Amino acid sequence: MANQNHKIWLFVHVIVTVHERRPLLKKPIRTVLFAHLQQDASAKGTKVTAVNGVEDHLHLLIQLHPAQNLLQVMKALKTEASGWINNSNLLTEPFEWEENFAAYTVSPSGVKQVADFIGKQEEYHKTKSLESELEVFDKVQL
């Protein structure tokens, strides 16, 4: 029989893009948005272990309980975040996310490496595009 004290968590690296990949998330907006995303996710029972990004997209490392549905969690987080950005008048135009997102599972042994990668997004994207980044992830298959 399984030990009832064990916690089961699933780690997922998620990449969400601004609608039409418009460069709307300037640094001051990202700073407050990241804190807001972490608080909102926590209130919904999801832990955002790492979050960072650049003007046109964000990376999140989320920790899900197995009963949580990734699509529902991301829809709720994106809907709340875009509503918060729009209601806070942080931009002079309406904000929205692309409907689709990329998601990659992360083994517990890879969590630190992915969190470090997410933490270096601004530096990473000085020389690499989102497209080249996604190509690298898409090549990693079993």
Side-chain angles (χ1 to χ4, degrees):
M1 186 141 105
N3 183 335
Q4 297 298 325
N5 294 327
H6 283 107
K7 297 277 186 192
I8 301 172
W9 294 105
L10 305 173
F11 296 95
V12 184
H13 177 185
V14 180
I15 303 169
V16 294
T17 54
V18 176
H19 183 65
E20 298 176 348
R21 294 193 183 166
R22 299 178 68 206
L24 299 177
L25 298 176
K26 304 300 183 204
K27 179 98 175 162
I29 294 171
R30 290 196 310 268
T31 301
V32 293
L33 175 61
F34 296 163
H36 181 78
L37 273 168
Q38 288 178 305
Q39 288 176 334
D40 179 55
S42 180
K44 290 177 168 70
T46 302
K47 182 176 180 183
V48 175
T49 304
V51 59
N52 201 0
V54 292
E55 287 84 0
D56 67 347
H57 73 279
L58 300 182
H59 290 253
L60 300 104
L61 178 58
I62 59 174
Q63 184 176 334
L64 297 173
H65 187 276
Q68 291 177 301
N69 177 299
L70 178 63
L71 293 174
Q72 291 173 347
V73 166
M74 289 310 301
K75 181 177 181 179
L77 290 177
K78 290 180 356 182
T79 298
E80 203 288 328
S82 60
W84 179 79
I85 290 170
N86 289 323
N87 291 335
S88 299
N89 296 316
L90 294 171
L91 298 170
T92 58
E93 57 190 284
F95 179 85
E96 62 182 304
W97 301 105
E98 285 291 345
E99 184 176 338
N100 295 326
F101 58 89
Y104 307 92
T105 56
V106 178
S107 71
S109 63
V111 167
K112 183 182 180 334
Q113 182 180 0
V114 172
D116 290 347
F117 172 75
I118 290 172
K120 297 176 182 166
Q121 281 300 295
E122 292 176 38
E123 180 182 327
Y124 182 87
H125 284 291
K126 287 180 182 176
T127 58
K128 295 180 178 68
S129 68
L130 175 59
E131 289 77 16
S132 67
E133 183 175 50
L134 292 173
E135 284 175 19
V136 170
F137 286 115
D138 290 341
K139 286 180 184 175
V140 179
Q141 297 179 17
L142 296 177

